[in-house]
């Protein structure tokens, strides 16, 4: 399994799209060891425009499912929102035009780091039905 990724920084207008592809273990390592708190402190210290909350988005190369972790602070506690983007079948004009595949995102907020990383691992195991349940319950 191979993943591409992007990184959003509070102080940079442009999203970073590294060309290096990652395996499952590299994705987990990156998410675990990313300097989330340091990036949030940077965001708090900016006197100019804040462009993004600290975020990393991982996209599976073959099926285009993606999983984004976005960090924030809530009462001095690190929290994450998860943004899950997946292909969904739609039937435009009540099915008269057949079925089309569109990417749709669902987000959920207020995960602690351990839980967010556990959900990331579920995503990396390609248990998409479970991720869908987690994100929509």
């Amino acid at each position: 399994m191979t993943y591409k990724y992007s990184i959003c920084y509070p102080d940079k207008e442009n999203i970073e799209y590294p060309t290096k592809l990652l395996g499952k273990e590299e994705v987990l390592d990156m998410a675990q060891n990313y300097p989330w708190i340091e990036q949030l402190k940077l965001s708090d210290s900016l006197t100019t425009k804040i462009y993004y909350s600290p975020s990393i988005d991982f996209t599976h190369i073959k099926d285009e499912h993606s999983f984004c972790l976005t960090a924030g602070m809530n009462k001095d506690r690190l929290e994450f929102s998860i943004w899950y983007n997946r292909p969904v079948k739609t039937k435009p004009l009540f099915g008269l035009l057949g079925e089309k595949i569109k990417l749709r995102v669902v987000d959920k907020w207020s995960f602690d780091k351990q839980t967010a990383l556990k959900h990331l691992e579920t995503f990396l195991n390609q248990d998409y039905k479970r991720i869908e349940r987690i994100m929509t319950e």
Side-chain angles (χ1 to χ4, degrees):
M1 295 178 283
T2 307
Y3 298 87
K4 59 185 175 180
Y5 65 104
S6 60
I7 304 174
C8 295
Y9 299 99
D11 60 337
K12 295 182 182 174
E13 183 176 3
N14 296 320
I15 298 171
E16 181 181 342
Y17 295 94
T19 56
K20 180 182 179 192
L21 299 178
L22 304 176
K24 176 182 171 180
E25 294 304 318
E26 292 170 303
V27 168
L28 286 171
D29 187 58
M30 178 180 281
Q32 175 69 42
N33 296 311
Y34 190 76
W36 299 107
I37 293 180
E38 290 82 356
Q39 287 294 304
L40 288 167
K41 286 180 182 177
L42 170 64
S43 181
D44 286 344
S45 72
L46 292 175
T47 56
T48 59
K49 183 175 182 177
I50 298 170
Y51 291 100
Y52 301 101
S53 294
S55 304
I56 306 176
D57 185 87
F58 302 101
T59 303
H60 188 271
I61 295 291
K62 289 186 180 176
D63 63 24
E64 291 298 311
H65 288 248
S66 71
F67 189 98
C68 179
L69 294 170
T70 300
M73 293 297 282
N74 184 4
K75 298 178 183 173
D76 296 327
R77 186 174 151 245
L78 179 63
E79 284 191 345
F80 289 88
S81 62
I82 295 173
W83 302 73
Y84 175 52
N85 197 14
R86 74 274 190 229
V88 175
K89 289 182 184 179
T90 62
K91 295 181 179 184
L93 290 172
F94 307 103
L96 295 173
L97 300 176
E99 288 187 341
K100 305 252 186 217
I101 303 291
K102 290 191 172 202
L103 290 175
R104 295 254 169 94
V105 68
V106 61
D107 62 303
K108 198 165 184 180
W109 298 73
S110 300
F111 293 99
D112 61 43
K113 185 176 181 182
Q114 181 180 1
T115 303
L117 292 173
K118 183 180 91 175
H119 295 332
L120 173 60
E121 191 164 8
T122 301
F123 169 78
L124 294 171
N125 289 331
Q126 295 180 294
D127 191 349
Y128 298 141
K129 288 182 181 180
R130 184 163 183 219
I131 289 294
E132 188 78 29
R133 280 193 309 273
I134 289 166
M135 298 302 289
T136 57
E137 54 180 35

